[in-house]
Amino acid sequence: MRRITTAILMMVAAIFFAQVSPVAAQSSTAAANASDTASPQEGSEPSLDDLISILENEETRAKLLESLKAAAYQAPEEGGEDGALLDAPDPDRTLPARIAEGVRSFIGSIGETGSEVLASVRSSGNLLSGAGSLDIPAILEAVLPVGLVAIVVFFVLGLGRLVKAPIFRSLAETSEHASPLNKLLLLALSGFIDALSIVLSWAAGVVAASVFANGQPGFNQQLFLNAFLVIEMIKVSLGLFVSPNYPGLRLTPFSNRQASYWYFWLSRFISILGYTFLFVAPVIRSATTVQAADATRFIVVVICVLIGISLILKNRGTVRERLKRAKKEGDRSVGAHINAFIGQIWWVVAIGFVLAAFIVWLRSPEEGLSFLTIGTLKTIAAMAVGGLIVSVLSRWITSGIPIPESVKDKLPLLEKRVNSFIPNALTVIRVFVVIAVLAYVLEAWTLASYSTWLASDMGQSIVGGLIGAGIILVIGVAIYIAVSSWIEYRLNPNYGTIPTARERTLLSLFRNAFTITMVVVVAMLVLSQVGIDIAPLLAGAGVVGLAIGFGAQKFVQDIITGAFIQIQNAMNEGDIVEVNGVTGTVEQLTVRSVGLRTIDGTWCLIPFSSVDQVANYSKDFAYYVADIGVAYREDTADVEAMMVDAFEELKTTAVADNLIGNMEMWGVQELGDSAVVMRGRVMTKPGTQWGVGRAYRGIIKRMADERGIEIPFPHMTVWFGEDRKGNAPPIRMTDPETSAPKIEAERADRLQPQGAAPSSSTDYGTSDVGGKTIPPGGGDVDAAGPGRG
């Protein structure tokens, strides 16, 4: 045990000697001398006497304690047993300490960046020093063979533009009336034609260079051709984004002036920087010196930076007002506020980007140029693709999805239903496109690493859940539209079989129930896809449903009663019913209530829980009961004959189609106070009995007048008064023989509008002009009462 202890102490001493300062080592001279006289087996390892001497010295003892503490809290080396804890945070550090450390690191990085900027500014002087080594004659001699090739290339490019112009005009005219997808295809076709012309120009240059060089093109000629191909292809991509010359092909929201203006300057920047770095600088380097090429690049970059900053400052107000236009016009959406905020600071961010790119290039001309080029190209490509997608989606959102007229006839509500979902879905897709573009741009500039996050388990879980939720929503909406369209098709009387009243009722109820079920199921599936455990939700829904069942017994009673009414087929849409004393036509029938439209147009909603009796006047068939009251002096046989003759005449009127059977004469129904009531009955189609009764009573009145059969009514005595002598004033009467034709003519004039043809018989209020059954009024229901006829 003692040997083990001694070995441990000697190891500690060795650690101390490795970390202690030279001053402390000099204070232990005795320990060093003892170490020199040690045996060869021990070598330079410290002995126990050295440890004792260290512990006896107060200063060295304190340093030993500090070294032990440092060794105790020192993180293990990489690849060790505890390598996984290498970057683990100190658990003893508090949150304020961590914040302070982060702020200190940020300030330190700012200071380091500032020093790098100053160093870059100082290095710019070294770059300019190479300008004195420019050898203009040597450069011209190197560029001269390239000039002939450039003339051929740009000549072929000009011819290609002349050939392309009518093709592009035709594509632009076609695109003005095309759908967004077709317009995108036309734009891609124009880009392909443009790229093809550039490739042909490049090929013509290769052929010309080979001819001029009697074989293989020269090095400088190949540099120019490569630069031309790269630069012009980048300009083609830019042209697809803004379409400066053909507005009909433009998908981005630029005006003609803005598109031409920005394309002009951006294409000039691309050409100047591209030809400088890809052609001019390499030629100068090979013809003169490296310093001269660096000076040339530096001068061109500085000029471009100054021009870029001046353009940003010149267009600061124009871009700001354009971005703030939506907010000024009253748009209070989040996007409008974001655009307005960007409009205030965009020029600061743009200038900062230009200066940052310039400094990065100064610090590392080779790697910095590669980084800036790749980052800029990725940013432009991402913004171009994202802008095209957003533009196409915006046009779809604005114009909607058109439905063919043949489909509209069968499904009139399909276009409205589809366009109520599609714009929302396209808006969500547009938001995801914007987020994806921002993520790609940030990763292109190494400001964030979303690809690493997507490769992690959490990223895959979140993205997979969102994709799964989106697929479920799309499938759910598609199923809803398909089922709703099928129900709409079945309810359309112009196609297929005409639905019955019961089919209309059941299909409407099925659509409501299916919609509620679909919403609940899709919501549960979406929540489960995004990582939310729906088991507690289902349990909570059960508890809430139980509570609602106790608290909303009336609602539950509505549903149960309505279900039994539907099962028994007590009423359907279009039936004439009497519910709770209200008589009307059934217009709306749900699982918990019925909506009735009375004869005066009043719409009544009656919950099923309050329904204790349903009287359906439209079930299978109906009867019109005719009670005709005549005076006691009349012969009942004559009255029966009159009623039968009236029925025979009724069969020749417009209501004849509503009659099912013959007249049933029942004879004397009642010996009333002032009349003898004769009763008969006629079977009619359901809901038509009131119109039949009106027509029949009209015929009875006319025949009774013609045959002298009295229809009694209450009598009164009229007293005309008398004078003081007891004489009554005379009653002025006209001659019946002269007045009767005049009265009949006046009556005919009142019934027949002037200039109109004689009217034919009607359905006597059985249906309206739209063919819908007219519900009865109070007098219709009570028309068969005693003595009413």
Side-chain angles (χ1 to χ4, degrees), residues 254-398:
F254 287 105
S255 63
N256 294 337
R257 188 189 67 83
Q258 291 171 341
S260 301
Y261 180 83
W262 288 111
Y263 180 79
F264 174 83
W265 283 108
L266 290 176
S267 61
R268 295 305 180 273
F269 278 121
I270 293 171
S271 298
I272 293 172
L273 292 175
Y275 283 112
T276 299
F277 281 86
L278 298 179
F279 171 64
V280 176
V283 170
I284 293 175
R285 180 173 181 174
S286 61
T288 57
T289 61
V290 176
Q291 291 77 12
D294 293 339
T296 302
R297 282 193 290 259
F298 178 78
I299 293 172
V300 171
V301 169
V302 169
I303 294 174
C304 290
V305 167
L306 294 178
I307 295 175
I309 293 175
S310 64
L311 285 174
I312 293 171
L313 293 176
K314 181 180 179 181
N315 294 276
R316 177 180 59 181
T318 304
V319 176
R320 180 183 65 244
E321 294 303 319
R322 180 172 177 81
L323 292 174
K324 295 174 64 176
R325 182 188 303 171
K327 184 178 179 182
K328 287 184 177 181
E329 291 177 355
D331 190 355
R332 293 294 179 264
S333 62
V334 178
H337 285 82
I338 293 176
N339 289 335
F341 175 74
I342 294 174
Q344 294 290 342
I345 66 171
W346 80 270
W347 62 277
V348 178
V349 177
I351 293 176
F353 171 77
V354 172
L355 294 177
F358 176 66
I359 293 170
V360 169
W361 176 78
L362 282 179
R363 293 298 296 167
S364 178
E366 298 296 335
E367 296 181 0
L369 174 63
S370 176
F371 174 76
L372 287 175
T373 304
I374 294 175
T376 303
L377 291 178
K378 287 184 176 179
T379 302
I380 294 174
M383 294 180 64
V385 174
L388 289 176
I389 295 175
V390 170
S391 299
V392 172
L393 295 179
S394 300
R395 289 176 179 267
W396 266 339
I397 292 172
T398 303

Side-chain angles (χ1 to χ4, degrees), residues 204 284 287 362 458 484 540 559 616 618 624:
I284 293 175
L362 282 179
M458 183 178 68
S484 299
I559 295 177
N616 194 331
S618 303
Y624 165 64

